[in-house]
């Protein structure tokens, strides 16, 4: 197998001696010669850009301008790692040791330029380099594994906390209500108790659903992408929220620009992101507050935003609201969440290649927004996709 060697040496005679020794090894070497550190760096860069391998670098230590160690550092700075043999002059043993400490794989005093020794140095440098690469890969894998385990333990702890704390509340309510039903309760008391059981079961169900969604976020989220009409989606979500809005003090309206782009997205996931943002806006809205759900095209994406007139979010905690299990202090009465809604919204948005954020306008309240990319259809698809999407979407909505 032919090996490609790069030789960096300013001395023409030394390069000649090196070439001759390499030929005398009887091995098949392709040699790239450079007479300065700068030229050598440039050659290695361009070889890599062309996808060519550098099997070994033979690097003269005493180059004018920058010495061999500096050339090595420059390579490392550019994230270039190649098997390297440092060529040292007479009496440079200390420098040789220093070179190996700083990343050379082996060294060879020029005085010992014997073909056999030279070939064995090249082979040794390549072996050491391979071992180094394997160690780096193993270290990276280990670090990733430790990080995964750390996250798994943290997630397990959080789930335990939720199960032991938040899931207990609906169970307690069920127990109390059953106690009431078992006693000689009046029909009205019984109705109240049944209502309480029903709400508790809903709450427990929602909690379990959220915990399942969150655990799915740790793996690859499989999206069922379909062409979607963002406005029809928003209108469907708002229609479903009407009973909740009727019980709350808030009102909700949709605002949108003309001709919104179609998005190619997972209907249920985008819907859940919207649901979670609107759920928060409703529970933080003041009496008679207005919530505005706006839609607009923004540079290759459709932006959905939910603006409320609630208390807003302090700048210092804004970066935490999307963390799992993060809940603000002093939540309004009835807002008994566990702090997963926004984490789920972030996970689903990012799974679509989108972005999510929050800002608090000066005149109060908060504005949560997320953007779902609207890929430009290819010319052949344009008519079909647009036609299909509208009818598919309407069909889906009618069915759900
Ligand atoms: N519109 C909003 N106005 C003010 N604070 C908000 C708003 N939305 C979210 N927050 C703050 O961010 C925290 C995290 O929100 P998130 O939706 O993740 O959890 P949650 O609503 O507490 O519970 P969950 O959504 O899991 O039922 C909330 O507890 C609240 O403090
Ligand atoms: Mg929430």
């Amino acid at each position: 197998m032919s090996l490609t060697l790069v030789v960096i040496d300013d001395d023409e005679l030394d390069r000649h001696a090196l070439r001759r020794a390499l030929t005398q090894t009887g091995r098949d070497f392709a040699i790239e010669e450079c007479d300065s550190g700068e030229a050598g760096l440039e050659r290695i860069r361009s070889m890599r850009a062309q996808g060519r391998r550098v099997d070994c670098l033979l690097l003269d230590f005493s180059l004018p301008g920058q010495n061999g160690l500096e050339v090595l550092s420059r390579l490392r700075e550019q994230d270039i790692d190649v098997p390297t043999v440092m060529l040292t002059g007479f009496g440079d043993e200390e420098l040789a040791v220093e070179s190996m400490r700083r990343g050379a794989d082996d060294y060879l005093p020029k005085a010992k330029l014997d073909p056999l020794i030279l070939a064995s140095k090249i082979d040794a440098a390549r072996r050491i380099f391979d071992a180094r690469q394997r160690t780096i890969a193993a270290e990276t894998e280990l670090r990733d594994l430790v990080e995964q385990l750390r996250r798994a333990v943290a997630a397990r702890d959080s789930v335990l906390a939720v199960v032991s704390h938040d899931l207990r509340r609906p169970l307690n309510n069920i127990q109390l209500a059953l106690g009431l039903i078992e006693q000689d309760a009046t029909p009205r008391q019984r109705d109240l108790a049944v209502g309480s059981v029903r709400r508790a079961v809903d709450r427990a169900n929602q909690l379990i659903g959220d915990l399942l969604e969150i655990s799915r976020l740790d793996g690859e989220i499989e999206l069922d992408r379909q062409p979607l009409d963002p406005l029809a989606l928003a209108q469907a979500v708002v229609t479903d929220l009407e009973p909740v809005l009727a019980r709350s003090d808030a009102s909700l309206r949709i605002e949108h620009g003309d001709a919104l782009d179609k998005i190619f997205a997972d209907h249920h996931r985008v819907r859940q992101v919207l649901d979670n943002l609107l759920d928060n806006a409703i529970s933080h809205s003041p009496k008679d507050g207005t919530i505005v759900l706006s839609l607009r095209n923004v540079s290759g994406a459709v932006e959905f935003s939910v603006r409320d007139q609630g208390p807003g979010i302090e700048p210092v905690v804004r970066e935490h609201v999307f963390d799992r299990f993060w809940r603000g202090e002093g939540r309004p009465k009835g807002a008994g969440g566990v702090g997963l809604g926004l984490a789920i919204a972030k996970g689903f948005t990012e799974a679509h290649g989108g972005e999510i954020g929050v800002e608090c306008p000066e005149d109060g309240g908060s504005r949560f927004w997320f953007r779902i990319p609207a890929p430009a259809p290819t010319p052949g698809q344009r008519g079909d996709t647009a036609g299909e999407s509208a009818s598919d979407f309407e069909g889906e909505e009618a069915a759900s």
Side-chain angles (χ1 to χ4, degrees):
M1 184 186 71
S2 169
L3 296 184
T4 305
L5 310 180
V6 172
V7 172
I8 305 181
D9 196 327
D10 61 309
D11 188 317
E12 199 176 340
L13 283 180
D14 284 355
R15 284 204 306 275
H16 177 74
L18 198 56
R19 204 162 47 234
R20 202 178 49 201
L22 285 168
T23 312
Q24 285 170 354
T25 61
R27 306 240 317 246
D28 186 6
F29 292 125
I31 308 169
E32 301 271 339
E33 290 185 23
C34 308
D35 60 6
S36 71
E38 212 46 62
L41 286 167
E42 188 46 49
R43 181 76 56 93
I44 292 174
R45 265 197 301 266
S46 78
M47 284 173 72
R48 285 172 56 104
Q50 294 160 15
R52 290 174 61 202
R53 234 185 27 232
V54 178
D55 292 305
C56 190
L57 166 64
L58 301 175
L59 177 60
D60 183 18
F61 181 86
S62 45
L63 292 165
Q66 53 185 339
N67 67 28
L69 285 183
E70 284 159 349
V71 174
L72 266 187
S73 311
R74 298 268 306 274
L75 282 172
R76 295 288 185 278
E77 275 163 23
Q78 293 165 43
D79 226 5
I80 299 177
D81 196 0
V82 289
T84 304
V85 178
M86 192 69 84
L87 304 170
T88 54
F90 180 73
D92 277 346
E93 257 65 20
E94 269 178 30
L95 297 176
V97 173
E98 179 64 10
S99 313
M100 293 191 56
R101 213 175 56 77
R102 303 258 291 265
D105 296 297
D106 209 337
Y107 75 96
L108 176 63
K110 284 183 177 176
K112 293 189 184 157
L113 206 55
D114 169 88
L116 276 182
I117 297 178
L118 180 57
S120 75
K121 289 285 180 185
I122 292 172
D123 293 339
R126 297 186 65 228
R127 272 198 307 276
I128 295 169
F129 173 82
D130 283 347
R132 186 148 46 91
Q133 294 299 304
R134 277 199 299 275
T135 311
I136 293 172
E139 270 172 14
T140 312
E141 206 175 317
L142 201 64
R143 245 198 315 274
D144 289 352
L145 210 62
V146 169
E147 177 57 18
Q148 261 178 33
L149 282 175
R150 202 190 57 72
R151 281 175 42 193
V153 169
R156 190 206 56 190
D157 288 351
S158 312
V159 169
L160 278 180
V162 171
V163 171
S164 61
H165 178 255
D166 297 78
L167 210 52
R168 234 188 217 153
R169 209 175 329 146
L171 288 181
N172 277 341
N173 288 355
I174 291 173
Q175 204 167 29
L176 286 174
L178 285 179
L180 201 68
I181 292 170
E182 275 167 4
Q183 288 167 10
D184 272 344
T186 61
R188 187 179 138 64
Q189 282 174 326
R190 198 170 309 133
D191 285 350
L192 285 176
V194 169
S196 162
V197 169
R198 218 167 252 138
R199 280 194 302 280
V201 169
D202 282 351
R203 180 73 197 127
N205 248 333
Q206 193 204 334
L207 265 174
I208 292 168
D210 282 355
L211 288 175
L212 286 176
E213 293 292 11
I214 273 293
S215 64
R216 279 193 204 115
L217 290 182
D218 288 328
E220 196 65 3
I221 304 177
E222 257 184 49
L223 296 178
D224 177 16
R225 288 183 190 254
Q226 307 281 341
L228 283 185
D229 174 345
L231 183 58
L233 174 71
Q235 280 161 342
V237 170
V238 172
T239 304
D240 284 356
L241 272 176
E242 264 159 22
V244 181
L245 285 163
R247 270 188 276 123
S248 81
D249 298 322
S251 62
L252 170 57
R253 70 163 195 274
I254 297 183
E255 283 179 358
H256 60 90
D258 295 336
L260 288 169
D261 289 336
K262 294 266 183 307
I263 52 177
F264 189 60
D266 186 320
H267 177 195
H268 294 288
R269 260 60 188 255
V270 177
R271 211 184 152 120
Q272 189 167 353
V273 178
L274 256 185
D275 271 335
N276 290 2
L277 297 189
L278 288 169
D279 181 57
N280 286 345
I282 293 170
S283 52
H284 290 91
S285 273
K287 196 165 162 31
D288 300 327
T290 302
I291 299 166
V292 182
L293 166 57
S294 318
L295 290 93
R296 60 179 183 139
N297 295 330
V298 273
S299 51
V302 172
E303 181 188 86
F304 297 76
S305 80
V306 175
R307 164 107 201 246
D308 64 44
Q309 296 174 317
I313 295 167
E314 293 289 319
V316 281
V317 300
R318 251 172 248 169
E319 61 181 295
H320 296 296
V321 289
F322 296 99
D323 292 351
R324 293 174 188 195
F325 301 105
W326 193 90
R327 311 185 250 204
E329 301 285 323
R331 273 164 303 144
K333 209 165 166 291
V338 283
L340 287 178
L342 289 176
I344 292 172
K346 182 173 193 293
F348 286 174
T349 305
E350 289 176 354
H352 281 88
E355 283 179 278
I356 192 164
V358 60
E359 58 206 41
C360 294
E362 275 182 6
D363 51 343
S366 40
R367 188 178 90 89
F368 278 88
W369 57 264
F370 67 99
R371 293 176 187 160
I372 302 289
T378 56
Q381 281 177 334
R382 181 147 214 131
D384 306 347
T385 315
E388 252 175 46
S389 65
S391 56
D392 277 4
F393 185 79
E394 280 151 19
E396 224 176 303
E397 279 314 300
S400 62

